[in-house]
Amino acid sequence: MKREELVIKVCGMREADNIHEMEALGVDWLGLIFWPKSSRYVSERPDYLPQHAKRVGVFVDEAVDTVKKKADAYALDLIQLHGSESPDYIRAIKASCSIIKAFSIATADDLTQTKDYEGLVDYFLFDTKGSSVGGNGVQFNWNVLKDYHGQTPFLLSGGIGPDDAQRIQAFTHPQCIGIDLNSRFELSPGLKDINKLKQFIQVL
């Protein structure tokens, strides 16, 4: 995959200056995590929010009303669901925002989780199955995705780091539209290393 074909999503943003710098790099989507147990939790509204990049709000089994209120308050473009949200839950929140449903992947068998969500959400996100909900900094075996034959486009996530640009270029799947970057580009939780990201994007 080449840069011009990729959606680059950077998740776990929290600091206003960092968000502004990230947007200036040409990142397409910026993720704000609204899960209180996350070390990247957005507890207060940043003084600057993306004006050009799409705003993604990340939730984990949150109350429907809370998701709707956050979506309105932050003018979210996309809602990313990273828990065990059911199809009925998604029907209850689906309105003006596009929906990303995340799945934890270790083996091809984990891909069967997607079937009930085909035609219901706009995107899937395939992350590494780990001890925490995202942000584990570990990759799964991308080869298992050859067994994904769904029609829903997806983002590749899970431990993608500064040295993975060539691996991403070599990875092909008809439904892969982008990559999700987070912990391996951080100076500390919620604070991204602009230089590492700039160099990474330039290599893509």
Side-chain angles (χ1 to χ4, degrees):
M1 296 186 293
K2 297 180 180 179
R3 168 64 184 106
E4 58 269 20
E5 300 169 347
L6 277 177
V7 169
I8 296 181
K9 173 178 176 282
V10 178
C11 203
M13 302 302 301
R14 187 167 55 196
E15 307 293 334
D17 289 346
N18 208 218
I19 292 170
H20 195 281
E21 290 174 319
M22 195 67 58
E23 193 173 41
L25 289 182
V27 171
D28 302 295
W29 298 359
L30 289 172
L32 308 168
I33 297 177
F34 296 111
W35 184 47
K37 293 182 180 179
S38 172
S39 59
R40 302 166 184 88
Y41 174 58
V42 177
S43 58
E44 296 181 0
R45 183 186 177 95
D47 291 334
Y48 179 83
L49 289 170
Q51 303 300 308
H52 306 292
K54 289 189 176 182
R55 304 178 187 184
V56 184
V58 181
F59 302 88
V60 180
D61 297 319
E62 186 57 85
V64 168
D65 285 347
T66 301
V67 174
K68 289 180 176 179
K69 287 176 182 177
K70 291 287 188 185
D72 288 341
Y74 284 78
L76 299 178
D77 299 293
L78 301 106
I79 291 170
Q80 179 175 316
L81 302 173
H82 228 293
S84 56
E85 297 88 359
S86 68
D88 284 342
Y89 176 100
I90 290 168
R91 291 185 188 98
I93 66 165
K94 194 167 186 180
S96 58
C97 289
S98 297
I99 305 293
I100 305 168
K101 181 70 183 82
F103 296 96
S104 298
I105 305 296
T107 68
D109 288 343
D110 294 318
L111 294 168
T112 60
Q113 304 170 80
T114 65
K115 291 181 180 178
D116 290 340
Y117 299 85
E118 278 284 353
L120 182 60
V121 302
D122 300 279
Y123 308 98
F124 293 145
L125 182 143
F126 294 138
D127 200 358
T128 304
K129 184 178 286 187
S131 56
S132 65
V133 179
N136 290 287
V138 178
Q139 292 183 12
F140 66 94
N141 182 0
W142 299 349
N143 288 331
V144 304
L145 296 178
K146 70 180 186 299
D147 291 320
Y148 172 64
H149 303 295
Q151 298 303 305
T152 301
F154 69 85
L155 282 82
L156 186 63
S157 185
I160 297 173
D163 299 326
D164 289 321
Q166 290 184 337
R167 286 195 67 212
I168 291 165
Q169 289 172 351
F171 178 79
T172 58
H173 190 291
Q175 297 299 342
C176 185
I177 61 153
I179 54 175
D180 178 56
L181 311 175
N182 193 348
S183 59
R184 292 189 63 194
F185 287 90
E186 286 187 327
L187 296 167
S188 61
L191 183 65
K192 301 300 186 285
D193 187 323
I194 296 298
N195 289 329
K196 281 186 178 179
L197 273 154
K198 183 178 181 179
Q199 291 170 8
F200 176 80
I201 292 171
Q202 286 175 341
V203 173
L204 280 178

